[in-house]
Amino acid sequence: MFRPSHFLLAFTLLFVRVDASHGQSDSGPKVLIVNAHPDDEMGCAATVYKLTHDLHGKVDIALITNGEGGYKYSTLAEAFYGLELTDEKVGREYLPTIRKHELMNAGKILGIRSYFFFDQKDHRYTVNPHEALDSIWDIELIQRRLRDILINGKYDYIFCLLPVDSTHGHHKGATIMALTAVQALGSAIKHPVVLGVENPRRSDSTGARFVVLHDYPITEVNMQAPIFKFDRTVKFGYRNVLNYKIIVNWEIAEHKSQGAVQMIGPDEGDIEEFHFFKINDPGMIGPTADLFKKLAVIHYVAKTY
């Protein structure tokens, strides 16, 4: 059984870098994921797996909050962890450590190299990004640390969640922080391409496309750019019975304290869509398209038995 006390000392600082690179090469693309919560990375899990395993890329995660607000979903995890996590006081005390541990277990599956923990308060569920950005989070610290990470990491891409109206305000806030940090980089510093990811239903026939989040013009997407896609359901392996949803399910299963995230229906989670923000250099549309063409290639050799 997991013992929170074993990990408390490892994550007491406001900002922590944990390196799990395991000798990854320098030949592939470098990606930074900027997310609000542990488990948000599942939105691009299959793409990340392909990047690290097939294209020899490096992928790091910058995590804004400590995840303590997820205690309401921890009913089944109480027996697993031996803690009454749905009690708010207990959950807020132990979930920051537990969820870091879960994220790093999930990261082993995806091939994550490094983790940057900002430990901002995960205060409550809201769709309003102003709450966190205006009064809850230390915005100066976040921007300073993101700038340092971007300068040192020399990333090619940033993945974050598309800030659609219906998503968590913290998701929107993390994306706004990532976009703001890139926009603030000087001209002499490499600017990574920022992509916003979502996982629409295959049956979604509305045809509506995200354009911009109200009050935050920095979130506007480039409508001339295509939506780049990775299909988790592409088949491979013996008799073509495998696909990348298996990897996503492995990754999701590590987030045991957040039971609701496993409830993905048969019509959900098939596609990872990446939107190209307007602040990006439009000259990078072509190279980004080339990257997703490479990601679509199946590298597994078909075997006959």
Side-chain angles (χ1 to χ4, degrees):
M1 181 182 293
F2 171 79
R3 301 295 183 191
S5 60
H6 293 179
F7 297 89
L8 284 174
L9 291 178
F11 300 115
T12 53
L13 298 177
L14 185 64
F15 172 79
V16 179
R17 183 180 196 272
V18 179
D19 194 328
S21 56
H22 306 301
Q24 292 180 3
S25 72
D26 290 323
S27 61
K30 296 180 180 179
V31 177
L32 178 68
I33 301 171
V34 180
N35 282 160
H37 310 110
D39 74 22
D40 290 346
E41 79 289 342
M42 71 179 65
C44 57
T47 301
V48 169
Y49 184 87
K50 286 280 289 184
L51 280 165
T52 59
H53 287 72
D54 290 350
L55 302 188
H56 309 292
K58 291 186 176 72
V59 180
D60 301 334
I61 291 180
L63 188 70
I64 304 299
T65 81
N66 61 13
E68 68 181 72
Y71 65 90
K72 296 176 182 178
Y73 302 99
S74 299
T75 301
L76 290 173
E78 291 184 331
F80 184 82
Y81 289 117
L83 293 164
E84 191 180 352
L85 294 171
T86 55
D87 178 276
E88 182 173 0
K89 183 178 180 180
V90 175
R92 289 191 181 277
E93 178 180 358
Y94 287 105
L95 279 178
T97 298
I98 288 173
R99 296 192 69 185
K100 289 183 178 73
H101 181 64
E102 291 176 340
L103 174 62
M104 294 175 71
N105 282 342
K108 290 178 183 177
I109 294 168
L110 300 184
I112 300 300
R113 177 183 63 165
S114 300
Y115 303 82
F116 303 95
F117 296 112
F118 290 70
D119 280 336
Q120 299 299 293
K121 187 176 181 62
D122 180 13
H123 70 301
R124 72 184 187 101
Y125 176 78
T126 174
V127 296
N128 184 358
H130 286 285
E131 288 190 18
L133 295 176
D134 296 349
S135 61
I136 304 297
W137 295 351
D138 185 338
I139 301 305
E140 290 185 4
L141 179 142
I142 294 170
Q143 288 299 294
R144 184 171 65 252
R145 297 313 302 160
L146 279 177
R147 178 180 174 82
D148 289 345
I149 292 167
L150 293 176
I151 292 173
N152 293 329
K154 298 180 174 63
Y155 296 99
D156 301 299
Y157 294 91
I158 291 178
F159 293 171
C160 50
L161 295 180
L162 192 69
V164 297
D165 287 338
S166 60
T167 196
H168 198 312
H170 293 176
H171 297 170
K172 298 169 186 169
T175 299
I176 291 164
M177 289 290 91
L179 290 164
T180 303
V182 170
Q183 190 178 60
L185 292 173
S187 59
I189 301 172
K190 180 177 182 178
H191 286 217
V193 172
V194 189
L195 301 175
V197 65
E198 66 172 345
N199 307 118
R201 293 173 176 263
R202 275 194 184 276
S203 61
D204 185 359
S205 59
T206 63
R209 179 175 175 181
F210 175 83
V211 178
V212 65
L213 178 66
H214 181 66
D215 286 345
Y216 295 97
I218 197 171
T219 64
E220 184 177 359
V221 300
N222 186 331
M223 300 300 287
Q224 304 305 310
I227 298 174
F228 304 101
K229 300 182 181 184
F230 183 82
D231 187 348
R232 294 172 172 177
T233 67
V234 63
K235 295 184 180 299
F236 54 85
Y238 184 56
R239 294 184 176 177
N240 277 330
V241 298
L242 305 177
N243 65 39
Y244 289 102
K245 292 187 78 169
I246 296 168
I247 293 296
V248 178
N249 288 335
W250 287 357
E251 194 268 347
I252 291 174
E254 294 298 337
H255 294 283
K256 294 177 175 61
S257 71
Q258 301 301 294
V261 300
Q262 283 84 7
M263 304 300 290
I264 296 179
D267 189 36
E268 298 176 279
D270 287 346
I271 306 293
E272 296 176 3
E273 291 190 350
F274 294 80
H275 297 245
F276 192 92
F277 288 102
K278 195 169 183 178
I279 73 162
N280 297 323
D281 176 0
M284 288 303 296
I285 294 175
T288 303
D290 290 340
L291 172 64
F292 278 83
K293 287 178 182 177
K294 293 177 182 177
L295 288 168
V297 175
I298 299 298
H299 290 265
Y300 298 107
V301 177
K303 296 182 179 180
T304 303
Y305 296 96

